[in-house]
């Protein structure tokens, strides 16, 4: 006997499912993860799945539900910044995407944050509402508006959770937020008190830790309260208010003795390094590749991917972290297609100021941001079968380490 199998969004069956690319589409994909193996971790109401979307900056996105009644947003997940914001009563939002817009008057649980709130950091000029304005590393990329408080819908196994969170009502967006990154909002995961992980731990909903898993197929996971496993590798965060770590050595086929600090940033698509680290890493990579070089902006080291190319000879890459643990880079390249050819590029960009380990280097790992112990943990994972951990049970009292917003990187507009 034979049966024809269809993907749920193939032509014969897609009429029963939301339009591909819509918020509902990603919510449906996430739904099966709602009660993942009974783990006592906190996830969004639509589950803990994340999705890498190449047309939106190669970032990982997830669906969240906000307000009463709940409205769904597809937000980018960014460990390099702190504020959670969504488009709201926009005077300037993206015109290219038909996505949700938050309306404070449309939610019965919405409250505007006043100037005397401890999380209001900006001066109030002629108004009692707390304004905000955040500029990111990307050129001319920013969001501004007012702070509001509303219900974020979350779930634990067999239990729905409504957490009051403060977030940005983004009335004016600019730069990358209008076209290639986070058109429906950004979920800042940094250490500042304004970030949602800080609020969740402060209110006793979870342990002061979370994990993000980056599957090699573009599917991932985010779980609040996850403190990792006993057999994970770890390195300490440096004493500053970001997820900044020390790298003592780089291996690109051969060992390169360099020492530098870098921000672990899921909100930056690719990895950015300053000289001399960038030059030493990229030149070592180039010296071991046998294919014809064919540079493409923004990547300096791209190579022909014709049928007779030697892509199987791409050199291995790893980082030796502070403390001695090794971090293997499973996905150091990106494939770029044009109308006439394919090229593969070393997905590392020369930076003028900051070293940033971007989301591409995190691929293949479950990465734990333990803000209580101030350590970064990682373990190889396909992100589908994440085991239960007794040490991931939510607990109540935690300190609140300070932080500042770090921001997003730049995003190329090539097709993958």
């Amino acid at each position: 006997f034979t049966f024809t199998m269809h993907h749920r969004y193939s032509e014969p069956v897609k009429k029963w499912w939301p339009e591909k690319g819509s918020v509902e589409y990603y919510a449906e994909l996430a739904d099966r993860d709602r009660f993942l193996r009974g783990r006592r971790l906190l996830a969004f109401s639509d589950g803990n799945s994340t999705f890498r979307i190449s047309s939106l900056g190669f970032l990982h996105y997830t669906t969240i539900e906000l307000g009463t009644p709940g409205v769904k947003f597809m937000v980018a997940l960014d460990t390099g910044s702190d504020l959670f914001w969504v488009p709201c009563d926009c005077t300037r939002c993206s015109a290219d995407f038909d996505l949700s817009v938050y309306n404070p008057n449309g939610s019965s649980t919405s409250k505007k944050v006043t100037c005397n709130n401890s999380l209001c950091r900006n001066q109030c000029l002629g108004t009692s509402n707390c304004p905000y304005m955040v500029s990111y590393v990307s050129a001319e990329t920013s969001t501004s508006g007012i702070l509001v408080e509303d219900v974020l819908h979350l779930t634990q196994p067999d239990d729905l959770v409504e957490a009051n969170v403060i977030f940005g009502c983004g009335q004016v967006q600019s730069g990358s937020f209008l076209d290639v990154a986070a058109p429906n909002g950004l979920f800042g995961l940094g250490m500042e008190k304004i970030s949602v992980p800080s609020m969740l731990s402060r209110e006793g909903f979870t342990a002061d830790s979370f994990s993000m898993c980056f599957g090699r197929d573009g599917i991932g996971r985010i779980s609040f309260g996850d403190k990792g496993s006993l057999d994970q590798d770890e390195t300490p965060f440096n004493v500053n208010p970001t997820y900044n770590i020390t790298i003592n050595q780089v291996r690109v086929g051969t060992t390169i003795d360099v020492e530098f600090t870098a921000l672990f940033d899921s909100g930056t698509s690719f990895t950015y390094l300053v000289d001399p680290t960038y030059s030493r890493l990229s030149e070592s990579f180039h010296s071991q590749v046998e294919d014809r070089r064919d540079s493409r902006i923004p990547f300096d080291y791209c190579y022909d991917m014709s049928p007779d190319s030697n892509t199987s000879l791409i050199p291995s890459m790893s980082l030796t972290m502070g403390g001695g643990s090794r971090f293997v880079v499973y996905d150091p390249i990106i494939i770029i297609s044009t109308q006439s050819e394919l090229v593969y590029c070393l997905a590392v960009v020369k930076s003028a100021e900051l070293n940033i380990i971007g989301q591409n280097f995190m691929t293949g790992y479950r990465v734990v941001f333990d803000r209580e112990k101030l350590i970064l943990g990682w373990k190889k994972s396909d992100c589908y079968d994440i085991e239960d951990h007794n040490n991931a049970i939510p607990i109540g009292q935690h300190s609140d380490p300070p932080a500042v917003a770090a921001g997003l990187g730049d995003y190329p507009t090539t097709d993958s």
Side-chain angles (χ1 to χ4, degrees):
F1 296 92
T2 61
F3 299 90
T4 301
M5 294 193 302
H6 295 285
H7 188 273
R8 65 172 70 181
Y9 296 105
S10 60
E11 288 296 328
V13 297
K14 71 176 185 179
K15 62 184 178 181
W16 290 304
W17 297 92
E19 181 180 355
K20 188 171 183 179
S22 66
V23 173
E24 289 78 14
Y25 164 82
Y26 291 104
E28 288 287 354
L29 285 180
D31 188 59
R32 72 176 182 84
D33 303 303
R34 184 172 295 178
F35 302 112
L36 178 65
R37 298 190 63 191
R39 300 182 71 207
R40 292 188 62 190
L41 301 179
L42 202 59
F44 296 113
S45 60
D46 281 314
N48 67 348
S49 286
T50 66
F51 311 89
R52 184 180 65 223
I53 304 176
S54 59
S55 60
L56 293 178
F58 292 90
L59 301 179
H60 271 254
Y61 292 78
T62 193
T63 52
I64 59 106
E65 188 173 352
L66 197 59
T68 308
V71 177
K72 292 182 179 179
F73 297 84
M74 187 173 70
V75 293
L77 298 166
D78 182 19
T79 60
S81 65
D82 299 286
L83 184 68
F84 163 37
W85 64 266
V86 294
C88 164
D89 289 348
C90 296
T91 59
R92 188 182 180 192
C93 289
S94 172
D96 298 329
F97 301 92
D98 185 18
L99 298 171
S100 304
V101 174
Y102 178 78
N103 177 9
N105 296 326
S107 172
S108 63
T109 48
S110 177
K111 293 183 287 187
K112 293 180 180 178
V113 175
T114 60
C115 295
N116 58 8
N117 189 293
S118 62
L119 294 179
C120 182
R121 298 293 179 85
N122 293 338
Q123 278 191 321
C124 300
L125 300 175
T127 176
S128 60
N129 299 329
C130 178
Y132 82 89
M133 197 278 181
V134 180
S135 295
Y136 296 83
V137 174
S138 294
E140 299 179 354
T141 295
S142 66
T143 175
S144 61
I146 61 172
L147 295 183
V148 297
E149 180 179 344
D150 209 338
V151 170
L152 178 65
H153 299 269
L154 302 164
T155 183
Q156 288 175 331
D158 304 317
D159 187 22
L160 297 178
V161 177
E162 293 185 347
N164 287 318
V165 298
I166 290 174
F167 59 96
C169 168
Q171 298 164 333
V172 179
Q173 276 65 253
S174 67
S176 297
F177 293 148
L178 297 178
D179 45 25
V180 294
N184 204 209
L186 182 138
F187 203 90
L189 293 161
M191 289 188 182
E192 184 79 43
K193 289 184 177 182
I194 193 68
S195 77
V196 172
S198 296
M199 287 186 266
L200 293 179
S201 64
R202 192 161 58 243
E203 296 300 320
F205 287 110
T206 68
D208 196 8
S209 183
F210 67 92
S211 69
M212 294 183 70
C213 196
F214 302 88
R216 301 185 75 169
D217 60 356
I219 303 298
R221 300 279 184 267
I222 181 168
S223 297
F224 297 102
D226 187 1
K227 296 180 69 66
S229 56
L230 296 177
D231 59 345
Q232 69 184 9
D233 289 300
E234 296 177 347
T235 191
F237 291 129
N238 294 319
V239 184
N240 71 38
T242 60
Y243 303 123
N244 185 286
I245 51 91
T246 296
I247 297 171
N248 292 325
Q249 196 177 69
V250 176
R251 186 174 181 84
V252 186
T254 59
T255 299
I256 304 171
D257 287 320
V258 292
E259 182 172 330
F260 60 97
T261 61
L263 177 68
F264 243 71
D265 184 8
S266 69
T268 300
S269 313
F270 306 108
T271 293
Y272 289 70
L273 298 175
V274 301
D275 268 336
T277 304
Y278 170 79
S279 294
R280 294 188 65 184
L281 180 148
S282 56
E283 289 168 6
S284 178
F285 182 90
H286 177 65
S287 69
Q288 299 174 66
V289 174
E290 298 183 4
D291 294 313
R292 178 176 59 87
R293 187 172 171 185
D294 181 7
S295 297
R296 300 290 169 123
I297 296 174
F299 304 112
D300 293 328
Y301 291 86
C302 297
Y303 304 89
D304 175 45
M305 205 172 173
S306 60
D308 59 347
S309 62
N310 296 295
T311 53
S312 62
L313 301 178
I314 293 171
S316 60
M317 186 178 297
S318 65
L319 312 173
T320 301
M321 304 296 203
S325 293
R326 189 162 166 257
F327 186 99
V328 176
V329 179
Y330 294 112
D331 198 16
I333 67 167
I334 184 173
I335 297 172
I336 299 175
S337 64
T338 68
Q339 291 182 341
S340 59
E341 61 181 339
L342 287 174
V343 298
Y344 66 94
C345 303
L346 174 63
V348 179
V349 182
K350 186 175 182 179
S351 172
E353 298 178 355
L354 296 174
N355 292 308
I356 300 174
I357 303 301
Q359 170 246 288
N360 66 319
F361 271 31
M362 303 180 208
T363 299
Y365 285 109
R366 172 161 150 262
V367 182
V368 176
F369 298 83
D370 192 327
R371 301 136 52 87
E372 185 176 17
K373 293 183 178 179
L374 293 178
I375 58 168
L376 180 82
W378 65 92
K379 183 179 179 181
K380 184 178 179 181
S381 177
D382 65 4
C383 303
Y384 284 95
D385 188 20
I386 300 177
E387 69 276 17
D388 193 9
H389 301 297
N390 292 329
N391 61 341
I393 297 174
I395 54 179
Q397 301 298 322
H398 305 279
S399 60
D400 301 308
V404 295
L408 293 156
D410 298 308
Y411 308 100
T413 55
T414 53
D415 293 327
S416 171

